[in-house]
Amino acid sequence: MGVLANRLRARVKAGEKLKCIPHILQNVTKPGPFKARIKRITEAFPQRFRFYHPVQCPGGKFVHRPKMVGSKEVYTCQNGSKQVFQRWKYPNSFFKYRFGRGGEFAQGLYAVLRKLGYKARLLLGYWRGADALWVEVWHPKKKRWIALDPAAKHGYGRKFPKPGMRVISLLNSKSKLVNRTKDYQFKRSPLTHGGY
């Protein structure tokens, strides 16, 4: 968990340094009712940025487990060829090149919401050797946190129900990590006998 917590801290710290709203998002950040504005901003991400995952090798096979070399993921295909995916450390790089993964999408949304003055926090869920990042924003009238997944087409209010998932959150780079697992407990569906 130490490595994941450090990664979350680094994402939050970098997200707080956004100097201005990126040009590609300026028309969706216009004023409006809270839910409509947040939903419009969140759902602009999958329309305007390309989600890069997983890596496809020649022959159509996918490689899911990379080797990290600095900030790059190196994928070795079955035929021995290698593909490299650059992870962005700062939101400005993500906004400039317009592609990334869940981590870049979440960090970008977090940075934009903070720049607009919203109370937002970045969350990290991890389970069975995998992890995911997403954002929560504080709803001032409902007095509760709303989950946002900027990598999903309908990301407003979307939670990540994974069996055995542990969740930590960080409000800003100076706050302490908070365990949010109880807010994201996996609930078995009576319709699917344990499916999502």
Side-chain angles (χ1 to χ4, degrees):
M1 170 160 151
V3 173
L4 292 173
N6 289 340
R7 189 185 307 164
L8 179 61
R9 283 189 185 283
R11 290 271 188 197
V12 166
K13 192 170 185 180
E16 292 172 351
K17 295 180 179 178
L18 188 67
K19 292 180 179 163
C20 62
I21 301 298
H23 182 69
I24 192 171
L25 292 173
Q26 283 181 350
N27 66 334
V28 296
T29 57
K30 59 188 177 192
F34 178 87
K35 181 178 178 181
R37 188 179 195 201
I38 299 298
K39 188 175 181 182
R40 189 170 61 237
I41 295 167
T42 303
E43 295 181 359
F45 274 73
Q47 295 170 5
R48 297 170 188 214
F49 303 98
R50 188 168 51 90
F51 190 83
Y52 191 91
H53 186 70
V55 170
Q56 189 171 5
C57 292
K61 293 188 178 179
F62 292 96
V63 178
H64 295 279
R65 298 282 177 205
K67 179 180 177 184
M68 291 300 295
V69 179
S71 63
K72 295 179 180 175
E73 293 178 355
V74 179
Y75 293 83
T76 305
C77 296
Q78 294 82 356
N79 65 358
S81 66
K82 295 190 184 295
Q83 293 194 24
V84 178
F85 173 67
Q86 173 70 50
R87 298 304 301 256
W88 308 120
K89 186 175 180 181
Y90 298 101
N92 287 330
S93 298
F94 169 65
F95 293 133
K96 179 181 178 181
Y97 295 104
R98 300 183 184 184
F99 72 91
R101 292 233 185 92
E104 286 84 5
F105 276 67
Q107 182 185 31
L109 178 61
Y110 169 80
V112 168
L113 292 176
R114 289 292 303 266
K115 189 68 182 171
L116 292 171
Y118 289 103
K119 185 177 179 182
R121 64 187 181 192
L122 205 54
L123 286 89
L124 171 72
Y126 55 98
W127 69 99
R128 298 180 187 171
D131 61 85
L133 278 169
W134 66 96
V135 179
E136 283 184 343
V137 65
W138 180 253
H139 196 303
K141 289 186 179 174
K142 294 185 177 180
K143 306 288 185 205
R144 66 183 178 96
W145 291 99
I146 307 294
L148 308 171
D149 178 9
K153 189 175 180 182
H154 303 289
Y156 183 90
R158 180 176 181 256
K159 288 196 176 184
F160 291 74
K162 299 282 184 184
M165 183 174 71
R166 311 244 335 154
V167 180
I168 55 175
S169 73
L170 198 58
L171 189 62
N172 59 56
S173 58
K174 294 177 181 160
S175 63
K176 293 182 179 178
L177 290 168
V178 178
N179 186 339
R180 296 284 173 207
T181 303
K182 63 178 174 45
D183 299 333
Y184 285 86
Q185 288 194 354
F186 176 68
K187 292 186 175 117
R188 292 179 182 272
S189 166
L191 300 175
T192 59
H193 303 288
Y196 303 126

